[in-house]
Amino acid sequence: MENSGRKITKIARETNRLVLQVMKKNGIGTGEMDLIHLVRHNPGISQKEACEALNADKAAITRRVLSLEKKGYLIRKTDETDHRK
C-alpha cells in the first residue's frame, strides 16, 4: 500500500508540474489560476466574494479579473439587480 501512495504522490507532482508549464506558456500566473478555479466552481461569483474566498484585497482581484478578461478566460457581467456588482 505504501508503494502505491508514493506512486500517487509522484503522479500528482508531475501533473502539477505540467499544469504550471502550460499556464506559464499561456501567460497565466498562479493567482490567476486560483481565480479561474474559483469562478469555475462558483459561476456568477462577485469580485467581493472572490476577495473573501481567496483572502485577497480588492485591487489584486480586480487586476486578475481584468487580466483574465483581456486574455479571454473570463467574462464580466453587471448584476441586473445591483449595478455596483
Side-chain angles (χ1 to χ4, degrees):
M1 185 69 172
E2 187 176 321
N3 191 27
S4 62
R6 287 181 184 204
K7 288 180 181 180
I8 290 170
T9 300
K10 185 175 181 178
I11 291 168
R13 273 196 310 264
E14 289 299 314
T15 302
N16 191 43
R17 187 179 63 77
L18 179 61
V19 168
L20 291 173
Q21 283 179 347
V22 171
M23 287 171 35
K24 185 176 180 180
K25 180 180 170 184
N26 291 310
I28 300 172
T30 54
E32 291 175 332
M33 189 64 190
D34 290 342
L35 183 59
I36 289 170
H37 186 71
L38 178 67
V39 172
R40 180 175 162 258
H41 289 286
N42 301 280
I45 190 171
S46 70
Q47 285 184 220
K48 181 179 179 180
E49 293 167 330
C51 291
E52 294 166 2
L54 296 174
N55 197 27
D57 64 24
K58 185 178 177 180
I61 294 298
T62 299
R63 283 190 302 270
R64 290 176 196 164
V65 167
L66 291 172
S67 176
L68 289 169
E69 185 178 31
K70 183 179 178 181
K71 295 172 187 174
Y73 290 101
L74 197 72
I75 297 172
R76 269 191 314 170
K77 294 182 180 177
T78 304
D79 187 330
E80 299 279 329
T81 58
D82 186 352
H83 293 288
R84 295 173 294 170
K85 292 184 179 179

